[in-house]
Amino acid sequence: MGDQAVPAGQSVLSLKGGRQMLRLQSPLPERYISASGAELAEMIGAAKATLGRRLFILGHHYQRDDVMRWADARGDSFGLSRTAAGVTEAEFIVFCGVHFMAESADVLTADSQQVLLPDLNAGCSMADMADIEQVEEAWEELAQVTDVRRIVPITYMNSSAALKAFVGRHEGAVCTSSNARAVLTWALQDGRGDKVLFFPDQHLGRNTGFELGYGASDMQVWNPRLALGGLSDLEVKESTLLLWKGHCSVHQRFRPEHITAFREEHPDGIVMVHPECAHEVVEMADLVGSTDNLIRGVAAAPAGAVIGVATEIHLVKRLDDESPDKTVVCLDPLICPCSTMSRIDPPHLAWVLEGLVEGEVRNRIQVDAEVAEWARVALERMLAIT
Ligand code: 13P
Ligand code: SF4
């Protein structure tokens, strides 16, 4: 479907080349754009009250405060997938997060439940760094040089449902930043395989590999733009972890110099970083963890602590606001918002909720049935491992 076929104020998901999802979000009607913060809060509150238990709003920790205040449950991507799987009563699940999270929620909820994403342009640049064509091509190339039955494909939660279905079909699993260690242990150390193809975040894969005791020589970066990932046959054969050349544009900004500068200013300061940061940053941290783990880490720090955090700025600011006895600062002085997470704002939230009140489901995220079946296998494997 082309842009001209999108009705005003509506949005669609369309298929490019029959497989790749293209997200389109047309502009909102004027009343949402011109409304004040107070008017939008009134619209959202009224719609939420009218919908009652028919509605459940999930909020990822990177959401802005003026959206997060409406969430019935907050969480990291693992926690939210578990919560979504357990929300059996609500007819509508509005996901304040990014596209891959809403897809996973759709896969894990009943067919009778509908998942909505307030702005279809809330994607994830890292998730877009691996698509199903590239992964299938990589698999075929690997099959030329090694026994792919001994390779366990692992996809980070930050990936399309098509990639989750791929790993489901090939005896692999999904992982998140909070359970990557358990999932890699399951893949490599419980006799399941000799190698892992890990996509799309090389940093989470590398950091977890080091955590499990593998060395730099056990890991190779797979560049999907090059033949055989840019590797020799021998490099493929001798590696244990093949790490897809993908990264998070927010977390890659954090550098060791930021930590050095923080420690110079706060010799007793505590450094906490997300595992999507580069290994040289992770090595210098006192705590490495998913967004939920960072929140727990800050809560456990002693009163008076100064904590430097390497993650998305909305979470860092909320941690500071909600910890009056501690000082929480972002390790990157230039501050890094996740531009796609920030697309979920009160106007879009009000627009989808008022649509539901009027009987119109806007921005439903619905994964193709066959893809969903295999993606569920991969997600449920992850839930069973952790
Ligand atoms: P968490 O699983 O830690 O919430 O991370 C999700 C994410 O997108 C981090 O960039
Ligand atoms: Fe994707 Fe990075 Fe944003 Fe997380 S912070 S949603 S990985 S772009």
Side-chain angles (χ1 to χ4, degrees), residues 205-272:
R206 185 177 295 108
N207 289 325
T208 314
F210 279 124
E211 221 189 304
L212 286 176
Y214 295 100
S217 59
D218 300 315
M219 308 189 219
Q220 293 289 350
V221 173
W222 180 277
N223 183 344
R225 293 171 190 276
L226 300 176
L228 198 61
L231 304 172
S232 67
D233 291 13
L234 191 67
E235 283 170 326
V236 168
K237 285 192 177 107
E238 290 188 345
S239 65
T240 304
L241 284 146
L242 292 165
L243 308 172
W244 197 268
K245 195 172 180 346
H247 63 268
C248 165
S249 47
V250 174
H251 290 92
Q252 74 156 7
R253 292 180 50 87
F254 295 98
R255 303 301 314 147
E257 305 83 87
H258 294 135
I259 300 184
T260 307
F262 172 81
R263 290 206 194 281
E264 271 167 17
E265 202 179 334
H266 308 284
D268 298 325
I270 306 170
V271 171
M272 301 188 186

Side-chain angles (χ1 to χ4, degrees), residues 60 62 75-78 100-101 156 158 176-177 248 251 274 276 290-292 341:
H60 184 266
Y62 291 164
D76 64 5
S77 47
F78 176 69
F100 70 81
M101 297 179 179
Y156 187 24
N158 300 30
T176 71
S177 54
C248 165
H251 290 92
H274 194 278
E276 287 174 14
S290 74
T291 52
D292 249 8
M341 282 275 182

